[in-house]
Amino acid sequence: MQPSLDNFSRAWTFARIGDAFWNSVITTVGAVILLTLVCSMAGYAVGTMRFRLRGPLFHLILMGMMIPLQVVMVPFFRTIVDFKLLNTYHGLILSLTAFAIPFGTFMLSAYYATIPRDIFEAAKMDGASIWQSYYKIGLPIAKPAIATLAIINTLYAWNDLLIPCLLY
């Protein structure tokens, strides 16, 4: 028997591996983009701003990291069905994002907390709004942490099997 690559081409066509590959690419890219946006804003708020419920909010985020998906699978599935997100890209992207938000927010808030507060206070004295401070100061300084978060979440979204099997 001679070695050949015929089995790969047959698997690509008959098992529709190409479709599965593109589904993974679409959901991974969507989840990473959405997660990076949400976590960078939430991490900025928790890491740099001072407000009354900051401590309880941070503890709530940490508690989200402690609950495994297997514990909430049934109510999670019922919620996905009720919102008619079953078998959709939107449902999978939102699900992957929702389960990764606690870690991403924790990581970026820890990074934003290391930035000297004086920088943001100087921007405020110069007339910058919170959004301008976030966009023009916080994001450029946090590029390394955001890139790290994007890499970690790309691996998480690409390698996760339980959520896609549950929703597709």
Side-chain angles (χ1 to χ4, degrees):
M1 183 166 195
Q2 295 293 329
S4 72
L5 298 176
D6 292 336
N7 289 335
F8 288 106
S9 65
R10 283 191 7 212
W12 192 266
T13 55
F14 293 123
R16 297 178 40 202
I17 292 178
D19 294 340
F21 174 76
W22 285 112
N23 287 342
S24 295
V25 168
I26 291 168
T27 56
T28 299
V29 169
V32 168
I33 289 171
L34 183 61
L35 189 70
T36 304
L37 288 172
V38 170
C39 289
S40 67
M41 288 187 277
Y44 177 79
V46 173
T48 62
M49 301 169 82
R50 305 291 178 242
F51 50 93
R52 201 178 101 208
L53 296 176
R54 181 176 169 253
L57 177 66
F58 188 68
H59 288 107
L60 186 66
I61 291 168
L62 289 179
M63 283 191 287
M65 288 177 28
M66 296 178 203
I67 300 171
L69 171 63
Q70 292 82 358
V71 173
V72 294
M73 247 178 15
V74 173
F76 166 68
F77 182 77
R78 293 294 313 157
T79 304
I80 291 295
V81 169
D82 290 344
F83 283 109
K84 295 178 180 42
L85 293 173
L86 198 62
N87 294 329
T88 63
Y89 288 128
H90 298 4
L92 188 54
I93 289 170
L94 288 174
S95 300
L96 290 170
T97 302
F99 284 107
I101 282 176
F103 172 74
T105 304
F106 171 71
M107 186 180 130
L108 286 180
S109 66
Y111 188 84
Y112 281 121
T114 64
I115 300 172
R117 189 153 168 74
D118 298 339
I119 295 173
F120 299 110
E121 289 175 1
K124 187 176 181 179
M125 294 205 41
D126 287 341
S129 67
I130 293 172
W131 287 106
Q132 289 173 331
S133 294
Y134 163 72
Y135 184 72
K136 294 184 178 180
I137 297 170
L139 279 182
I141 291 175
K143 279 182 186 176
I146 292 170
T148 303
L149 179 69
I151 291 168
I152 290 170
N153 286 320
T154 300
L155 293 173
Y156 162 73
W158 187 269
N159 291 327
D160 189 21
L161 182 65
L162 183 59
I163 294 174
C165 283
L166 191 64
L167 299 184
Y168 266 16

